[in-house]
Amino acid sequence: MNLINTVKGVQEMVTSLRKEGKSIGFVPTMGALHEGHLSLVKQCISDNDICIVSIFVNPTQFNNKEDLLKYPRNLEKDCLYLEKAGVHIVFAPSVEEIYPEPDTRQFDFGQIDKVMEGEHRPGHFNGVAQVVSRLFDVIKPNKAYFGEKDFQQLAIIREMVKQLELDVEIVPMPIVREATGLALSSRNERLNPEQKQDAVKISEIILGLSKNWNEYSVNELKRVVIDKINEVESLQVEYFEIVDGFSLQPIQHWPDTEYAVGCIAVFCGDVRLIDNVTYY
Ligand code: PAF
């Protein structure tokens, strides 16, 4: 496995691989890797000749400086994990490599980023689009892999690819959960054992109530989920929205969409967790 820190270095390597006719798969990450990332990596390895993983904690997508400072970082451990998984190249650039000049681009995603994460984390998706477009520009992958846990991010990336007319296939990958149901996230590392037990209730409640969703109206289901989660000692719901899975716009009634998705953000102590569920 090659660990490369510079844009020039990775570009040279990718150019020569492409000349050899190799297909390039790409998994962008911010490190602190877990089984969720591994599922993207495995798919990437099986679909492509070359799998490149980036590890870059992108400052422009953090609207909360504290969150950026506390974001878990362990490059050495992550590299060992990726080497074992069979990754060919790890690209771990510095902030200066990615942003030699401040990135002042402002994307317009219409209504997609005006709700949920976009509403509660102003500027977050603009930062995500800045870094992902920059990474795509450097690596020029054939396919790129993103987890469905960040459901709204996936919609933003797809819209960005469309707007910039990029020639990359976006491959969505299902949420990976612990045996308890808790959606895997790098932020779970920051939960103490009691908080972790409480955090399990998030998936327990949203998945449990998704089994008989049609016994409720959209608004009733929202209310029940929010109330049940807020009853748990250390949990505080920031939002729970039921949206059309394509437009990301909240629905009022089930017949408003054929693809209803419930998206939630919950504070467990000071750790912010997100999850989602599709209503079939
Ligand atoms: O999902 C993430 O880890 C990040 O938002 C991403 C896509 C790597 C961009 O920094």
Side-chain angles (χ1 to χ4, degrees):
M1 187 180 81
N2 286 291
L3 171 60
I4 304 180
N5 303 109
T6 63
V7 165
K8 192 166 173 280
V10 80
Q11 277 176 331
E12 279 172 6
M13 184 157 285
V14 168
T15 306
S16 92
L17 287 164
R18 200 166 283 108
K19 275 192 192 139
E20 291 170 28
K22 308 262 194 237
S23 61
I24 311 286
F26 177 45
V27 181
T29 81
M30 296 206 299
L33 304 176
H34 51 67
E35 292 277 328
H37 296 107
L38 195 62
S39 76
L40 310 188
V41 164
K42 279 187 179 155
Q43 191 64 46
C44 180
I45 291 174
S46 101
D47 291 350
N48 304 276
D49 297 321
I50 299 294
C51 170
I52 305 183
V53 175
S54 65
I55 299 180
F56 178 67
V57 182
N58 172 36
T60 72
Q61 72 186 75
F62 285 83
N63 57 321
N64 177 339
K65 289 280 161 277
E66 189 79 351
D67 201 20
L68 172 62
L69 289 173
K70 285 188 179 161
Y71 203 84
R73 293 160 210 246
N74 195 334
L75 182 62
E76 214 172 303
K77 189 169 155 216
D78 287 341
C79 283
L80 287 172
Y81 194 63
L82 294 175
E83 182 148 39
K84 217 165 134 207
V87 166
H88 305 94
I89 301 171
V90 173
F91 177 45
S94 64
V95 173
E96 292 71 30
E97 281 290 321
I98 292 296
Y99 301 116
E101 307 284 336
D103 191 337
T104 53
R105 287 175 299 161
Q106 288 295 324
F107 290 82
D108 180 0
F109 295 117
Q111 292 307 306
I112 307 177
D113 72 344
K114 303 291 179 293
V115 293
M116 304 192 291
E117 292 301 283
E119 184 184 348
H120 290 90
R121 303 179 70 189
H124 168 65
F125 286 128
N126 200 63
V128 169
Q130 286 174 342
V131 76
V132 175
S133 58
R134 170 81 171 128
L135 290 166
F136 281 0
D137 188 46
V138 170
I139 290 168
K140 300 194 173 46
N142 301 91
K143 295 184 184 198
Y145 298 77
F146 293 86
E148 285 180 334
K149 184 174 79 67
D150 295 292
F151 191 77
Q152 197 173 3
Q153 169 170 281
L154 195 51
I156 294 286
I157 304 285
R158 284 192 163 121
E159 179 62 25
M160 181 201 82
V161 165
K162 198 167 113 196
Q163 286 185 13
L164 300 178
E165 299 180 13
L166 302 179
D167 187 15
V168 53
E169 183 187 334
I170 302 302
V171 183
M173 293 294 296
I175 298 179
V176 180
R177 298 182 181 279
E178 285 187 354
T180 58
L182 179 66
L184 294 188
S185 162
S186 305
R187 290 193 168 84
N188 295 355
E189 277 186 27
R190 292 179 46 209
L191 300 171
N192 67 35
E194 292 79 41
Q195 286 175 325
K196 201 156 180 199
Q197 271 187 354
D198 284 350
V200 167
K201 298 278 179 204
I202 303 169
S203 53
E204 205 172 285
I205 292 167
I206 63 166
L207 297 180
L209 283 160
S210 72
K211 292 190 185 115
N212 47 346
W213 59 272
N214 47 7
E215 290 172 15
Y216 300 88
S217 71
V218 169
N219 284 331
E220 278 165 359
L221 185 59
K222 277 167 61 173
R223 184 49 39 221
V224 178
V225 165
I226 293 171
D227 288 349
K228 276 189 182 292
I229 293 180
N230 282 342
E231 273 167 24
V232 182
E233 178 75 23
S234 67
L235 302 183
Q236 184 65 50
V237 175
E238 185 173 52
Y239 67 78
F240 175 60
E241 281 295 353
I242 299 178
V243 300
D244 170 79
F246 299 110
S247 70
L248 278 285
Q249 297 315 293
I251 59 164
Q252 300 302 322
H253 309 283
W254 296 115
D256 291 351
T257 178
E258 285 180 0
Y259 180 26
V261 182
C263 299
I264 195 160
V266 181
F267 277 99
C268 183
D270 68 346
V271 184
R272 189 174 181 279
L273 302 171
I274 58 171
D275 201 345
N276 64 76
V277 61
T278 300
Y279 299 104
Y280 293 104

